[in-house]
């Protein structure tokens, strides 16, 4: 596999080689059906097995019981920015959001179209370089829900612990789902687009407390009503079959490695490798996130000049390290270390960074 690079893209992200190989081996003839998984009926027994197994694996890996429902929808995480308030807000209701970056900002913008939005925290005054301190948050006693973004993909910050609240806690986990051990039962609803830590783009997973779904607004378009998907096992209409199949393979891969305990250990070693190098050479690799808010998934930094940044990205690419350009809204360099990035990738990149600094 010497022609595969270390892919540090923020999204779509790198996938485990073992998963790609498994998909390749099954591509033309899935389980003796004589068809690929993209061609089988979503009402077939073969697909139902994939669907059910993927849902069960999410709950197993997260330690969630049957009081939670796993749903698969299309439209990406961005569509959930609208579908959440569509289900839980209205002009006479209030939701509370914490604004820690671009994606939270987009979620807030959509929610405002449906009801009142209060901000419990905001880090835009500090260029989104930190997560607000939990004791600085202004969380009211009553509202429909509190929404936050666990990992800020663009700004490289991540919640290290979560606020305790009596409000239903909602979370966009698109860029760090299944990357660490968490008490997932503190969340009442959380969701993620698939293309960062779960598989290829095309499916969004929504995990919600069953008891919450009775609070959904009535008279919604059927396709946007969470109860439609919850009650039909996400088979109301044709799901993105291939994406869900790939997500299932990724979940099995995580499971076989020992679940979130192992994944967390590996992710810790990977981020220590890159942050360690940055801290030793902080005059050259300047991290943009405050240390107590650093993301394990997306490491953002600036080099001494934009010319050096371009040179770094180009030379890294030539050396087999792809996807290191920062998001177009913030520039700089971004190293994304999703679950599928092996430790060797982070180690080799750190060596490259050391050498690049020496030469430049
Ligand atoms: C990438 C990303 C999104 C947007 O996901 P789409 O699937 O492209 O809509 C939303 N939230 C976060 C935190 C992300 O990283």
């Amino acid at each position: 596999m010497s022609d595969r690079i270390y892919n540090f893209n923020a999204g779509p992200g790198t996938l485990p080689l073992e998963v790609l190989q498994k998909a390749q081996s099954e591509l033309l003839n899935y389980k003796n059906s004589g068809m690929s998984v993209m061609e089988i009926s979503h009402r077939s027994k073969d697909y139902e097995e994939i669907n059910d197994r993927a849902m069960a694996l999410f709950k197993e890996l997260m330690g969630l019981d049957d009081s939670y429902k796993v749903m698969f929808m299309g439209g990406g995480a961005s569509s959930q920015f609208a579908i959440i308030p569509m289900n839980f807000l209205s002009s006479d209701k209030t939701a509370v959001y914490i604004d820690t970056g671009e994606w939270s900002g987009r979620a807030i913008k959509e929610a405002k179209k449906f009801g009142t939005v209060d901000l419990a925290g905001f880090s835009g005054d500090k260029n989104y370089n930190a997560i607000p301190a939990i004791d600085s948050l202004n969380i009211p006693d009553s509202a429909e829900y509190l929404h936050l973004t666990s990992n800020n993909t663009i700004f490289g910050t991540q919640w290290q612990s979560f606020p305790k609240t009596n409000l239903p806690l909602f979370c966009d986990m698109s860029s760090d789902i299944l990357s660490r051990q968490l008490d997932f039962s503190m969340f009442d609803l959380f969701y993620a687009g698939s293309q960062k830590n779960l598989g290829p783009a095309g499916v969004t997973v929504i995990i919600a407390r069953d008891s919450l779904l009775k609070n959904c607004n009535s008279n919604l378009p059927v396709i946007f009503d969470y109860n439609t998907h919850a009650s039909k096992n996400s088979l109301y209409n044709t799901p993105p079959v291939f994406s869900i199949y790939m997500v299932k393979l990724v979940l099995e891969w995580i499971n076989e490695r020992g679940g979130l305990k192992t994944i967390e250990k590996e992710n810790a070693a990977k981020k220590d490798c890159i942050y360690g190098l940055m801290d030793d050479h902080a005059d050259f690799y300047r991290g943009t996130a405050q240390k107590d808010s650093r993301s394990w998934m997306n490491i953002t930094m600036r080099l001494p000049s934009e010319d050096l940044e371009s040179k770094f990205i180009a030379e890294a690419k030539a050396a087999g390290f792809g996807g290191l350009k920062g998001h177009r809204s913030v520039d700089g360099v971004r190293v994304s270390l999703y679950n599928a990035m092996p430790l060797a990738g982070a180690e080799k990149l750190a060596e490259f960074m050391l050498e690049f600094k020496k030469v430049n």
Side-chain angles (χ1 to χ4, degrees):
M1 279 296 132
S2 58
D3 52 348
R4 278 184 62 81
I5 63 165
Y6 287 117
N7 173 6
F8 294 95
N9 259 309
T14 187
L15 288 168
L17 182 60
E18 297 89 334
V19 166
L20 293 173
Q21 285 169 330
K22 170 97 171 156
Q24 183 182 43
S25 75
E26 293 183 327
L27 190 68
L28 296 185
N29 186 355
Y30 183 72
K31 296 216 161 153
N32 272 329
S33 64
M35 297 176 276
S36 79
V37 80
M38 290 174 273
E39 300 162 295
I40 64 177
S41 164
H42 59 293
R43 310 277 173 213
S44 65
K45 198 170 149 283
D46 277 341
Y47 179 69
E48 232 173 273
E49 262 174 36
I50 292 169
N51 193 52
D52 292 352
R53 183 73 185 128
M55 288 177 178
L57 273 167
F58 270 113
K59 290 208 263 192
E60 264 175 61
L61 290 167
M62 294 175 169
L64 292 173
D65 62 21
D66 285 340
S67 61
Y68 281 84
K69 270 275 185 230
V70 179
M71 293 170 264
F72 298 132
M73 293 171 76
S78 300
S79 67
Q80 297 302 314
F81 296 164
I83 293 171
I84 286 173
M86 205 182 282
N87 275 269
F88 297 105
L89 268 190
S90 52
S91 55
D92 57 340
K93 289 178 179 165
T94 300
V96 183
Y97 280 69
I98 301 177
D99 182 3
T100 54
E102 171 69 22
W103 298 114
S104 341
R106 290 199 197 181
I108 289 165
K109 232 174 166 172
E110 293 294 78
K112 283 182 173 166
K113 295 173 184 167
F114 296 91
T116 304
V117 171
D118 284 345
L119 274 194
F122 173 63
S123 58
D125 51 347
K126 289 179 284 184
N127 273 333
Y128 293 117
N129 69 357
I131 298 293
I134 287 188
D135 58 13
S136 76
L137 298 173
N138 194 6
I139 303 173
D141 288 332
S142 91
E144 299 310 310
Y145 59 85
L146 170 66
H147 180 282
L148 48 79
T149 312
S150 52
N151 182 68
N152 299 284
T153 325
I154 295 174
F155 295 97
T157 63
Q158 187 176 28
W159 289 83
Q160 314 294 320
S161 61
F162 293 89
K164 296 217 175 354
T165 168
N166 61 340
L167 303 183
L169 187 58
F170 288 15
C171 187
D172 175 1
M173 289 192 195
S174 291
S175 53
D176 68 350
I177 192 166
L178 293 175
S179 66
R180 55 180 166 169
Q181 291 178 291
L182 278 183
D183 174 11
F184 288 92
S185 71
M186 80 177 110
F187 301 101
D188 296 276
L189 182 151
F190 55 101
Y191 60 101
S194 50
Q195 70 274 22
K196 282 142 190 169
N197 235 355
L198 294 175
V203 61
T204 310
V205 59
I206 302 99
I207 301 178
R209 212 182 271 286
D210 215 355
S211 59
L212 182 82
L213 298 178
K214 66 177 185 319
N215 303 345
C216 291
N217 290 325
S218 51
N219 264 327
L220 291 173
V222 182
I223 198 69
F224 298 136
D225 185 338
Y226 284 129
N227 283 296
T228 303
H229 303 281
S231 66
K232 303 271 193 239
N233 213 23
S234 297
L235 282 165
Y236 168 72
N237 68 329
T238 321
V241 169
F242 188 72
S243 296
I244 294 167
Y245 159 75
M246 289 294 288
V247 168
K248 188 205 80 151
L249 294 186
V250 169
L251 297 175
E252 286 172 345
W253 176 84
I254 293 175
N255 203 29
E256 281 158 19
R257 295 173 84 76
L260 296 190
K261 200 169 169 198
T262 313
I263 292 286
E264 175 175 303
K265 233 170 89 187
E266 290 170 351
N267 285 337
K270 280 147 54 181
K271 62 98 187 165
D272 283 345
C273 188
I274 302 297
Y275 282 126
L277 185 281
M278 287 165 65
D279 288 342
D280 289 345
H281 302 275
D283 53 331
F284 195 84
Y285 294 112
R286 285 175 284 136
T288 59
Q290 277 182 20
K291 284 194 180 171
D292 60 0
S293 300
R294 280 176 165 177
S295 167
W296 292 29
M297 293 283 102
N298 310 98
I299 300 182
T300 50
M301 68 189 88
R302 300 303 311 242
L303 272 56
S305 71
E306 287 190 10
D307 283 349
L308 274 175
E309 286 170 350
S310 304
K311 191 170 179 222
F312 176 87
I313 291 159
E315 289 185 9
K317 189 164 181 225
F321 307 106
L324 290 166
K325 197 167 162 27
H327 190 267
R328 60 189 182 281
S329 63
V330 294
D331 292 327
V333 168
R334 173 169 54 175
V335 181
S336 296
L337 298 173
Y338 297 127
N339 290 350
M341 174 57 63
L343 176 59
E347 286 172 347
K348 289 193 177 135
L349 181 65
E351 280 168 31
F352 173 86
M353 289 169 73
L354 185 61
E355 190 57 32
F356 184 85
K357 191 209 159 187
K358 273 189 200 150
V359 174
N360 293 281

